[in-house]
Amino acid sequence: MSDTIFTKIINREIPAEILYEDDEILAFSDVSPQAPVHFLVIPKLPIETINDIQPNQAELIGKMVLTAQKLVKEQGVAEGGYRLVMNCNEDGGQTVFHIHMHVLGGRALSWPPG
Ligand code: 5GP
């Protein structure tokens, strides 16, 4: 696959507010926040969509959730509540084809989504 903007963020070719990084995971603030807290958790491995996740990547996906769990505590929204969202393909509203978990919090979020 061709590089997405997220590969450029991983490689520090474009700036981002990095919240967490390890060998496998990066978390950074969304450039267009939809809530007082809105950051993205991504694997460094460039998996295009949720449809492309393989069984042997289950631990990696689990690490994305645990990274979100750690950061919502740091951001002070763990107890108030938050939402994890992963969009897939056109109907899901995916615009960047490198899987990512949105973490949204800091205000009451409506449900169901539009
Ligand atoms: P999607 O619509 O694919 O689920 O979400 C992509 C997200 O990436 C959007 O919320 C968008 O604001 C964010 N985004 C797109 N380009 C950039 C960028 O260059 N920097 C950062 N920090 N976020 C970006």
Side-chain angles (χ1 to χ4, degrees), residues 5-6 9 14-17 28-34 38 40 86-87 92-97 100 102:
I5 196 96
F6 291 171
I9 290 174
I14 64 165
E17 186 187 16
F28 51 93
S29 299
D30 196 293
V31 76
S32 177
Q34 302 302 309
H38 185 182
L40 303 172
M86 293 180 77
N87 297 324
Q94 185 175 8
T95 59
V96 179
F97 287 83
H100 48 281
H102 294 261

mmCIF file of all heavy atoms in Angstrom, residues 5-6 9 14-17 28-34 38 40 86-87 92-97 100 102, ligand 1:
data_model
loop_
_atom_site.group_PDB
_atom_site.id
_atom_site.type_symbol
_atom_site.label_atom_id
_atom_site.label_comp_id
_atom_site.label_asym_id
_atom_site.label_seq_id
_atom_site.Cartn_x
_atom_site.Cartn_y
_atom_site.Cartn_z
ATOM 1 N N ILE A 5 -0.882 9.561 5.520
ATOM 2 C CA ILE A 5 -0.433 10.650 6.388
ATOM 3 C C ILE A 5 0.046 10.097 7.738
ATOM 4 O O ILE A 5 0.936 10.669 8.372
ATOM 5 C CB ILE A 5 -1.588 11.669 6.564
ATOM 6 C CG1 ILE A 5 -1.103 12.990 7.109
ATOM 7 C CG2 ILE A 5 -2.717 11.123 7.399
ATOM 8 C CD1 ILE A 5 -0.851 13.990 6.051
ATOM 9 N N PHE A 6 -0.504 8.958 8.153
ATOM 10 C CA PHE A 6 -0.110 8.409 9.455
ATOM 11 C C PHE A 6 1.312 7.836 9.409
ATOM 12 O O PHE A 6 2.036 7.906 10.404
ATOM 13 C CB PHE A 6 -1.116 7.361 9.935
ATOM 14 C CG PHE A 6 -2.458 7.933 10.311
ATOM 15 C CD1 PHE A 6 -3.534 7.100 10.594
ATOM 16 C CD2 PHE A 6 -2.673 9.303 10.382
ATOM 17 C CE1 PHE A 6 -4.777 7.616 10.949
ATOM 18 C CE2 PHE A 6 -3.912 9.831 10.727
ATOM 19 C CZ PHE A 6 -4.966 8.979 11.010
ATOM 20 N N ILE A 9 3.445 10.685 9.987
ATOM 21 C CA ILE A 9 3.481 11.062 11.407
ATOM 22 C C ILE A 9 4.410 10.108 12.168
ATOM 23 O O ILE A 9 5.248 10.543 12.972
ATOM 24 C CB ILE A 9 2.062 11.088 12.000
ATOM 25 C CG1 ILE A 9 1.289 12.278 11.414
ATOM 26 C CG2 ILE A 9 2.102 11.157 13.526
ATOM 27 C CD1 ILE A 9 -0.173 12.343 11.801
ATOM 28 N N ILE A 14 5.808 14.716 9.238
ATOM 29 C CA ILE A 14 4.919 15.829 9.539
ATOM 30 C C ILE A 14 4.682 15.834 11.046
ATOM 31 O O ILE A 14 4.728 14.781 11.688
ATOM 32 C CB ILE A 14 3.586 15.786 8.754
ATOM 33 C CG1 ILE A 14 2.778 14.556 9.142
ATOM 34 C CG2 ILE A 14 3.809 15.843 7.263
ATOM 35 C CD1 ILE A 14 1.338 14.662 8.689
ATOM 36 N N PRO A 15 4.430 17.004 11.606
ATOM 37 C CA PRO A 15 4.317 17.092 13.062
ATOM 38 C C PRO A 15 2.961 16.598 13.574
ATOM 39 O O PRO A 15 1.959 16.635 12.853
ATOM 40 C CB PRO A 15 4.477 18.597 13.330
ATOM 41 C CG PRO A 15 4.046 19.263 12.067
ATOM 42 C CD PRO A 15 4.355 18.325 10.945
ATOM 43 N N ALA A 16 2.964 16.137 14.799
ATOM 44 C CA ALA A 16 1.726 15.781 15.495
ATOM 45 C C ALA A 16 2.023 15.877 16.985
ATOM 46 O O ALA A 16 3.191 15.792 17.409
ATOM 47 C CB ALA A 16 1.278 14.368 15.130
ATOM 48 N N GLU A 17 0.959 16.052 17.757
ATOM 49 C CA GLU A 17 1.119 16.054 19.217
ATOM 50 C C GLU A 17 1.085 14.603 19.688
ATOM 51 O O GLU A 17 0.015 14.006 19.803
ATOM 52 C CB GLU A 17 -0.003 16.865 19.869
ATOM 53 C CG GLU A 17 0.197 17.012 21.366
ATOM 54 C CD GLU A 17 -1.004 17.662 22.058
ATOM 55 O OE1 GLU A 17 -2.092 17.720 21.454
ATOM 56 O OE2 GLU A 17 -0.838 18.098 23.201
ATOM 57 N N PHE A 28 -1.679 9.976 19.108
ATOM 58 C CA PHE A 28 -1.469 11.415 18.892
ATOM 59 C C PHE A 28 -2.816 12.114 18.810
ATOM 60 O O PHE A 28 -3.852 11.513 18.462
ATOM 61 C CB PHE A 28 -0.646 11.665 17.617
ATOM 62 C CG PHE A 28 -1.161 10.970 16.386
ATOM 63 C CD1 PHE A 28 -2.029 11.618 15.520
ATOM 64 C CD2 PHE A 28 -0.786 9.664 16.099
ATOM 65 C CE1 PHE A 28 -2.511 10.982 14.382
ATOM 66 C CE2 PHE A 28 -1.264 9.015 14.963
ATOM 67 C CZ PHE A 28 -2.125 9.679 14.105
ATOM 68 N N SER A 29 -2.808 13.405 19.102
ATOM 69 C CA SER A 29 -4.045 14.192 19.066
ATOM 70 C C SER A 29 -4.556 14.299 17.640
ATOM 71 O O SER A 29 -3.774 14.467 16.692
ATOM 72 C CB SER A 29 -3.782 15.596 19.606
ATOM 73 O OG SER A 29 -3.335 15.535 20.935
ATOM 74 N N ASP A 30 -5.902 14.237 17.504
ATOM 75 C CA ASP A 30 -6.508 14.418 16.182
ATOM 76 C C ASP A 30 -6.396 15.894 15.792
ATOM 77 O O ASP A 30 -6.630 16.785 16.609
ATOM 78 C CB ASP A 30 -7.970 13.983 16.211
ATOM 79 C CG ASP A 30 -8.528 13.780 14.804
ATOM 80 O OD1 ASP A 30 -8.657 14.781 14.057
ATOM 81 O OD2 ASP A 30 -8.837 12.628 14.446
ATOM 82 N N VAL A 31 -6.037 16.140 14.535
ATOM 83 C CA VAL A 31 -5.826 17.513 14.067
ATOM 84 C C VAL A 31 -7.156 18.281 13.982
ATOM 85 O O VAL A 31 -7.157 19.513 13.980
ATOM 86 C CB VAL A 31 -5.107 17.494 12.694
ATOM 87 C CG1 VAL A 31 -6.055 17.125 11.555
ATOM 88 C CG2 VAL A 31 -4.405 18.811 12.423
ATOM 89 N N SER A 32 -8.264 17.562 13.947
ATOM 90 C CA SER A 32 -9.582 18.186 13.849
ATOM 91 C C SER A 32 -10.493 17.623 14.939
ATOM 92 O O SER A 32 -11.385 16.804 14.683
ATOM 93 C CB SER A 32 -10.170 17.916 12.456
ATOM 94 O OG SER A 32 -11.455 18.448 12.344
ATOM 95 N N PRO A 33 -10.243 18.030 16.199
ATOM 96 C CA PRO A 33 -10.912 17.369 17.330
ATOM 97 C C PRO A 33 -12.425 17.554 17.327
ATOM 98 O O PRO A 33 -12.931 18.642 17.090
ATOM 99 C CB PRO A 33 -10.271 18.023 18.558
ATOM 100 C CG PRO A 33 -9.687 19.305 18.073
ATOM 101 C CD PRO A 33 -9.325 19.094 16.627
ATOM 102 N N GLN A 34 -13.125 16.459 17.591
ATOM 103 C CA GLN A 34 -14.584 16.456 17.642
ATOM 104 C C GLN A 34 -15.111 16.439 19.073
ATOM 105 O O GLN A 34 -16.322 16.343 19.301
ATOM 106 C CB GLN A 34 -15.118 15.230 16.887
ATOM 107 C CG GLN A 34 -14.665 15.167 15.435
ATOM 108 C CD GLN A 34 -15.090 16.401 14.643
ATOM 109 O OE1 GLN A 34 -16.254 16.780 14.669
ATOM 110 N NE2 GLN A 34 -14.144 17.026 13.948
ATOM 111 N N HIS A 38 -9.770 14.210 22.014
ATOM 112 C CA HIS A 38 -9.892 13.426 20.778
ATOM 113 C C HIS A 38 -8.493 13.104 20.286
ATOM 114 O O HIS A 38 -7.774 13.966 19.795
ATOM 115 C CB HIS A 38 -10.659 14.214 19.697
ATOM 116 C CG HIS A 38 -10.924 13.408 18.450
ATOM 117 N ND1 HIS A 38 -11.558 13.931 17.349
ATOM 118 C CD2 HIS A 38 -10.662 12.115 18.127
ATOM 119 C CE1 HIS A 38 -11.663 13.006 16.400
ATOM 120 N NE2 HIS A 38 -11.112 11.898 16.850
ATOM 121 N N LEU A 40 -5.983 9.721 18.513
ATOM 122 C CA LEU A 40 -5.994 8.514 17.691
ATOM 123 C C LEU A 40 -4.931 7.562 18.199
ATOM 124 O O LEU A 40 -3.824 7.993 18.548
ATOM 125 C CB LEU A 40 -5.704 8.859 16.226
ATOM 126 C CG LEU A 40 -6.637 9.880 15.577
ATOM 127 C CD1 LEU A 40 -6.109 10.268 14.198
ATOM 128 C CD2 LEU A 40 -8.049 9.324 15.464
ATOM 129 N N MET A 86 -13.711 2.883 15.589
ATOM 130 C CA MET A 86 -12.866 2.523 14.441
ATOM 131 C C MET A 86 -13.748 2.498 13.205
ATOM 132 O O MET A 86 -14.672 1.681 13.112
ATOM 133 C CB MET A 86 -12.193 1.160 14.659
ATOM 134 C CG MET A 86 -11.159 1.169 15.783
ATOM 135 S SD MET A 86 -10.352 -0.436 16.035
ATOM 136 C CE MET A 86 -9.197 -0.457 14.665
ATOM 137 N N ASN A 87 -13.503 3.405 12.293
ATOM 138 C CA ASN A 87 -14.289 3.495 11.067
ATOM 139 C C ASN A 87 -13.681 2.595 9.994
ATOM 140 O O ASN A 87 -12.462 2.496 9.880
ATOM 141 C CB ASN A 87 -14.306 4.937 10.565
ATOM 142 C CG ASN A 87 -14.982 5.878 11.538
ATOM 143 O OD1 ASN A 87 -15.948 5.511 12.197
ATOM 144 N ND2 ASN A 87 -14.477 7.096 11.654
ATOM 145 N N GLY A 92 -18.463 3.510 6.643
ATOM 146 C CA GLY A 92 -18.005 3.759 8.012
ATOM 147 C C GLY A 92 -17.371 5.119 8.191
ATOM 148 O O GLY A 92 -17.065 5.514 9.316
ATOM 149 N N GLY A 93 -17.124 5.806 7.077
ATOM 150 C CA GLY A 93 -16.542 7.146 7.165
ATOM 151 C C GLY A 93 -15.032 7.159 7.274
ATOM 152 O O GLY A 93 -14.442 8.155 7.704
ATOM 153 N N GLN A 94 -14.381 6.058 6.877
ATOM 154 C CA GLN A 94 -12.911 6.015 6.957
ATOM 155 C C GLN A 94 -12.305 6.898 5.868
ATOM 156 O O GLN A 94 -12.672 6.803 4.693
ATOM 157 C CB GLN A 94 -12.417 4.574 6.789
ATOM 158 C CG GLN A 94 -10.908 4.435 6.982
ATOM 159 C CD GLN A 94 -10.439 2.983 6.925
ATOM 160 O OE1 GLN A 94 -11.212 2.077 6.605
ATOM 161 N NE2 GLN A 94 -9.170 2.756 7.234
ATOM 162 N N THR A 95 -11.392 7.755 6.270
ATOM 163 C CA THR A 95 -10.723 8.646 5.304
ATOM 164 C C THR A 95 -9.223 8.396 5.221
ATOM 165 O O THR A 95 -8.591 8.760 4.234
ATOM 166 C CB THR A 95 -10.954 10.133 5.659
ATOM 167 O OG1 THR A 95 -10.441 10.394 6.968
ATOM 168 C CG2 THR A 95 -12.434 10.481 5.602
ATOM 169 N N VAL A 96 -8.649 7.805 6.278
ATOM 170 C CA VAL A 96 -7.226 7.481 6.265
ATOM 171 C C VAL A 96 -7.106 5.960 6.336
ATOM 172 O O VAL A 96 -7.592 5.336 7.297
ATOM 173 C CB VAL A 96 -6.477 8.147 7.440
ATOM 174 C CG1 VAL A 96 -4.999 7.759 7.413
ATOM 175 C CG2 VAL A 96 -6.629 9.670 7.394
ATOM 176 N N PHE A 97 -6.452 5.386 5.316
ATOM 177 C CA PHE A 97 -6.442 3.932 5.190
ATOM 178 C C PHE A 97 -5.203 3.317 5.840
ATOM 179 O O PHE A 97 -4.373 2.671 5.209
ATOM 180 C CB PHE A 97 -6.657 3.547 3.718
ATOM 181 C CG PHE A 97 -8.096 3.795 3.353
ATOM 182 C CD1 PHE A 97 -8.528 5.074 2.993
ATOM 183 C CD2 PHE A 97 -9.041 2.796 3.486
ATOM 184 C CE1 PHE A 97 -9.864 5.330 2.726
ATOM 185 C CE2 PHE A 97 -10.378 3.039 3.219
ATOM 186 C CZ PHE A 97 -10.796 4.309 2.842
ATOM 187 N N HIS A 100 -7.015 2.947 12.687
ATOM 188 C CA HIS A 100 -6.836 3.846 13.825
ATOM 189 C C HIS A 100 -8.071 3.787 14.703
ATOM 190 O O HIS A 100 -9.186 3.587 14.216
ATOM 191 C CB HIS A 100 -6.592 5.279 13.362
ATOM 192 C CG HIS A 100 -7.567 5.758 12.327
ATOM 193 N ND1 HIS A 100 -7.445 5.413 11.006
ATOM 194 C CD2 HIS A 100 -8.676 6.527 12.422
ATOM 195 C CE1 HIS A 100 -8.441 5.963 10.316
ATOM 196 N NE2 HIS A 100 -9.208 6.636 11.156
ATOM 197 N N HIS A 102 -10.256 6.041 17.163
ATOM 198 C CA HIS A 102 -10.542 7.352 17.720
ATOM 199 C C HIS A 102 -10.874 7.181 19.195
ATOM 200 O O HIS A 102 -11.635 6.280 19.566
ATOM 201 C CB HIS A 102 -11.785 7.964 17.067
ATOM 202 C CG HIS A 102 -11.642 8.296 15.615
ATOM 203 N ND1 HIS A 102 -11.369 9.560 15.168
ATOM 204 C CD2 HIS A 102 -11.750 7.523 14.510
ATOM 205 C CE1 HIS A 102 -11.328 9.564 13.838
ATOM 206 N NE2 HIS A 102 -11.561 8.333 13.410
HETATM 207 P P1 5GP B 1 -11.251 8.504 9.779
HETATM 208 O O1 5GP B 1 -12.222 9.459 9.144
HETATM 209 O O2 5GP B 1 -10.375 7.820 8.748
HETATM 210 O O3 5GP B 1 -11.878 7.546 10.736
HETATM 211 O O4 5GP B 1 -10.331 9.398 10.696
HETATM 212 C C1 5GP B 1 -9.173 10.025 10.251
HETATM 213 C C2 5GP B 1 -8.827 11.057 11.281
HETATM 214 O O5 5GP B 1 -7.511 11.502 11.044
HETATM 215 C C3 5GP B 1 -9.720 12.303 11.242
HETATM 216 O O6 5GP B 1 -10.366 12.494 12.491
HETATM 217 C C4 5GP B 1 -8.757 13.425 10.911
HETATM 218 O O7 5GP B 1 -9.056 14.637 11.590
HETATM 219 C C5 5GP B 1 -7.419 12.853 11.343
HETATM 220 N N1 5GP B 1 -6.313 13.375 10.596
HETATM 221 C C6 5GP B 1 -6.215 13.474 9.240
HETATM 222 N N2 5GP B 1 -5.040 14.015 8.891
HETATM 223 C C7 5GP B 1 -4.376 14.258 10.040
HETATM 224 C C8 5GP B 1 -3.088 14.817 10.323
HETATM 225 O O8 5GP B 1 -2.323 15.207 9.440
HETATM 226 N N3 5GP B 1 -2.733 14.918 11.637
HETATM 227 C C9 5GP B 1 -3.543 14.478 12.640
HETATM 228 N N4 5GP B 1 -3.088 14.629 13.883
HETATM 229 N N5 5GP B 1 -4.760 13.939 12.413
HETATM 230 C C10 5GP B 1 -5.170 13.846 11.123
#
